[in-house]
Amino acid sequence: MMDKYKNQYGVITPKDMYDFDNKSIKLGITSLELMENAGRAVSDNIRKNYKKSHVLVICGNGNNAGDGFVVAKNLREANWPVKVMLINDTVFSKDTSSMLERWGKNDLIKYSIDEIYSAEIIVDAIFGSGLNRPLNSFNLEVVSSINASKAKVISIDLPSGVNGETGDILNSAVIADSTVTFIRKKIGHLLLPGKQFCGEVYVENIGTQKSIIENFKFNYFENNPNIWSKGIKLPNLYSHKYQRGFSVINSGKLGSTNAAKLAAESALRIGSGVVAICCVRECINSFTASKSSLIIKESNNIVQFIQTISDPRCTAVLIGPGNGINDHTYNCVIEARKLMKPCVIDADAISVFKNKPNVLFDIIDQDCILTPHEGEFERIFPNLKGNKIERVKEASKISGAIIVLKGSDTLISSPDGRVIINSCAPPTLATAGSGDVLAGIILGLLSQGTDPFLGTAAAVWIHSISARLFGFGLIADDLVDLIPKVLNTLFLNDENKKQVKNKL
């Protein structure tokens, strides 16, 4: 499934883009043509999305400036009022110099705050996606002026100041209303904080040959149902409940049972045929208000927990939500993995291995999903350095497991180096119990035999869209009830009705 859509939803780095351009040149397209195509894509986008307005193109000194000269020339030829402000006077590349000649060296204006403030549309052609150094004091002033203006701002490739490889802001960045990039989105378009500076991102073709894209091995992807939807196992007429997955959840003690309850109800809603909660005797009554579909297993000690998960029909286990950092939580993980049960290891079940992370890494594999937020991640991977992408990739490699590094830009990483970036989560997900719901959705899909990596990506997306559907005022309980709506939208629309009908 991933192979079919890897090109469409692949995400690249600035270096990848540089390599694409070099390969295109070797196959016959000139670098000047690539620059002209990029500039034309931006000018066409502006003409399509905005009415004729006073445009100011602000150019730096790299190829991004060359793209800006093309934008200005094309808009002028379409009778738009255009000015070009050159802010970094230096020696240009041959292609950028050629595009400046076409615009006209005598038709440049110098930096002026008044010119910036009087523009209706500003095209940011200062720096491209390859910027990896902080802005100097003058460029900081220019960026500050752009951000203080009332103009609509369109950035070429990436807003100046955003690192295309990491999404980091070097020391300041242009706040764009939209960004026009080329071939594929860059990591910087999807990861915070860069993501919030990009506005709406348009991806345009600049003539890169299809063979280059088709033969490229993508390691990064933007989360989308087309990547994983056909891997979701829908019920058919021959299904019975245990064929649809038997999920087991370890509950916390009295006062901490709601986490397990949210996870259990989420696992049911996502399609797990049977969901059982293991809890001590005094907690059994805590679940009387839960969904009647839940099975409650008395589990006062590790022996009784083992008895429940030893059932050969048990297909996946969740440990951690509300469990507490204690010996029982630790032993539940150990025993579940002794039985080789696919596991979702969340919250306290991660933190309990803070002082013995290698013990955990020795018993987990690609059938296990770790779901840490940043704090939990640092507890078991304290020595990892680098940006967010590098750290999560290394964590998956070290542990051998699927890692879900939770946040507004959640990353799902596989031990083989693939990373899916989830860019659709709303800020309303920052609410108590939200992570328990996510753990339950992951568990439910894992129990049904969904590929652990792609199933986890599906869970993260469904979790995010459920929250977006509800809007403001969201609490974790609301997410559980919206899971069926998201599933029905995915699988009962016109495009998928035939697929569902064939499976029923």
Side-chain angles (χ1 to χ4, degrees):
M1 186 64 182
M2 174 68 82
D3 289 339
K4 182 177 179 181
Y5 290 100
K6 69 178 182 179
N7 293 340
Q8 187 175 353
Y9 299 103
V11 177
I12 61 176
T13 67
K15 182 183 181 300
D16 295 333
M17 185 70 203
Y18 180 79
D19 290 343
F20 287 166
D21 286 349
N22 284 338
K23 289 176 182 177
S24 291
I25 292 167
K26 288 180 181 179
L27 290 177
I29 190 169
T30 68
S31 57
L32 194 67
E33 287 175 304
L34 289 172
M35 183 176 285
E36 190 160 12
N37 290 345
R40 185 185 305 112
V42 177
S43 60
D44 287 350
N45 182 279
I46 293 171
R47 293 177 64 190
K48 178 181 178 180
N49 291 299
Y50 298 94
K51 65 181 182 180
K52 190 175 291 187
S53 308
H54 289 275
V55 178
L56 176 64
V57 181
I58 304 180
C59 294
N61 56 13
N63 285 340
N64 207 243
D67 298 340
F69 295 141
V70 177
V71 173
K73 179 181 72 71
N74 289 347
L75 291 177
R76 182 175 62 186
E77 290 173 354
N79 297 316
W80 284 49
V82 185
K83 293 180 180 179
V84 175
M85 180 184 291
L86 183 61
I87 63 166
N88 292 325
D89 194 10
T90 186
V91 177
F92 292 122
S93 69
K94 182 179 178 182
D95 290 343
T96 300
S97 296
S98 177
M99 293 308 180
L100 174 56
E101 290 283 349
R102 295 184 189 186
W103 166 254
K105 287 184 177 180
N106 296 325
D107 293 330
L108 299 174
I109 64 173
K110 294 183 178 180
Y111 171 67
S112 162
I113 291 179
D114 289 340
E115 289 286 358
I116 290 175
Y117 285 175
S118 63
E120 294 175 298
I121 294 175
I122 293 175
V123 178
D124 163 27
I126 306 171
F127 298 107
S129 61
L131 183 69
N132 57 10
R133 65 185 186 279
L135 306 181
N136 63 31
S137 58
F138 174 64
N139 287 324
L140 283 172
E141 181 183 337
V142 175
V143 168
S144 179
S145 299
I146 293 171
N147 291 342
S149 76
K150 296 181 179 179
K152 295 293 184 181
V153 179
I154 297 94
S155 289
I156 299 178
D157 206 8
L158 266 167
S160 294
V162 175
N163 185 307
E165 191 166 359
T166 67
D168 291 336
I169 304 302
L170 299 164
N171 54 353
S172 184
V174 169
I175 302 172
D177 293 283
S178 63
T179 299
V180 181
T181 193
F182 313 112
I183 302 180
R184 293 294 181 272
K185 289 181 182 178
K186 315 302 183 295
I187 292 172
H189 293 124
L190 300 173
L191 289 187
L192 290 170
K195 169 183 157 183
Q196 63 186 340
F197 286 77
C198 294
E200 186 169 1
V201 179
Y202 297 91
V203 181
E204 303 291 350
N205 181 33
I206 58 172
T208 304
Q209 294 89 336
K210 287 184 178 180
S211 61
I212 294 173
I213 306 298
E214 290 170 353
N215 292 322
F216 180 74
K217 182 182 178 182
F218 287 93
N219 285 316
Y220 308 113
F221 306 87
E222 183 175 13
N223 203 1
N224 185 282
N226 283 321
I227 292 175
W228 41 258
S229 61
K230 289 187 179 177
I232 303 295
K233 298 186 177 181
L234 302 175
N236 59 56
L237 291 173
Y238 299 98
S239 299
H240 61 71
K241 60 187 178 184
Y242 286 107
Q243 283 181 330
R244 297 186 62 197
F246 179 6
S247 302
V248 175
I249 300 170
N250 186 58
S251 172
K253 294 185 177 180
L254 199 62
S256 301
T257 56
N258 282 339
K261 188 185 302 184
L262 284 168
E265 293 181 0
S266 301
L268 280 173
R269 287 297 193 193
I270 203 66
S272 187
V274 180
V275 178
I277 295 177
C278 290
C279 68
V280 296
R281 180 177 300 171
E282 65 177 354
C283 291
I284 290 175
N285 289 337
S286 300
F287 296 99
T288 55
S290 302
K291 295 287 186 292
S292 301
S293 307
L294 292 174
I295 296 172
I296 310 302
K297 294 279 191 178
E298 184 176 334
S299 182
N300 298 299
N301 50 56
I302 192 64
V303 173
Q304 289 178 311
F305 177 76
I306 293 171
Q307 287 173 347
T308 299
I309 65 172
S310 294
D311 187 327
R313 297 171 299 183
C314 170
T315 50
V317 179
L318 167 61
I319 306 161
N323 286 187
I325 301 173
N326 52 52
D327 289 344
H328 183 69
T329 302
Y330 180 93
N331 290 330
C332 283
V333 176
I334 298 293
E335 297 301 330
R337 289 306 297 155
K338 281 183 181 177
L339 293 169
M340 299 303 291
K341 297 293 182 179
C343 284
V344 181
I345 301 170
D346 181 52
D348 294 334
I350 296 172
S351 297
V352 77
F353 287 93
K354 177 182 178 180
N355 297 321
K356 298 179 179 179
N358 289 331
V359 173
L360 177 64
F361 304 156
D362 286 344
I363 61 173
I364 58 178
D365 57 23
Q366 67 276 4
D367 288 330
C368 296
I369 296 105
L370 303 183
T371 59
H373 53 57
E374 277 285 358
E376 292 159 347
F377 184 90
E378 290 176 7
R379 285 176 199 138
I380 57 170
F381 300 106
N383 299 317
L384 295 188
K385 306 298 181 184
N387 61 61
K388 189 173 182 178
I389 287 270
E390 291 171 340
R391 288 187 295 119
V392 77
K393 284 180 66 177
E394 185 64 18
S396 276
K397 183 178 178 181
I398 291 170
S399 66
I402 309 300
I403 304 289
V404 182
L405 183 51
K406 296 184 292 191
S408 296
D409 50 359
T410 292
L411 300 179
I412 304 101
S413 181
S414 170
D416 63 15
R418 291 175 295 164
V419 178
I420 294 177
I421 305 169
N422 191 72
S423 61
C424 61
T428 51
L429 277 172
T431 185
S434 171
D436 304 318
V437 173
L438 176 59
I441 300 173
I442 296 171
L443 173 71
L445 291 172
L446 185 66
S447 75
Q448 296 172 70
T450 308
D451 175 86
F453 178 58
L454 297 181
T456 299
V460 172
W461 189 90
I462 291 166
H463 185 249
S464 298
I465 298 305
S466 296
R468 291 173 74 93
L469 284 174
F470 190 90
F472 292 113
L474 176 78
I475 61 174
D477 304 73
D478 301 320
L479 293 168
V480 179
D481 295 331
L482 281 165
I483 293 170
K485 185 172 183 179
V486 177
L487 291 176
N488 288 329
T489 301
L490 275 174
F491 296 112
L492 292 180
N493 59 30
D494 290 340
E495 190 175 326
N496 290 320
K497 278 180 182 176
K498 185 175 180 181
Q499 175 197 344
V500 175
K501 185 177 180 180
N502 289 339
K503 290 192 175 185
L504 292 177

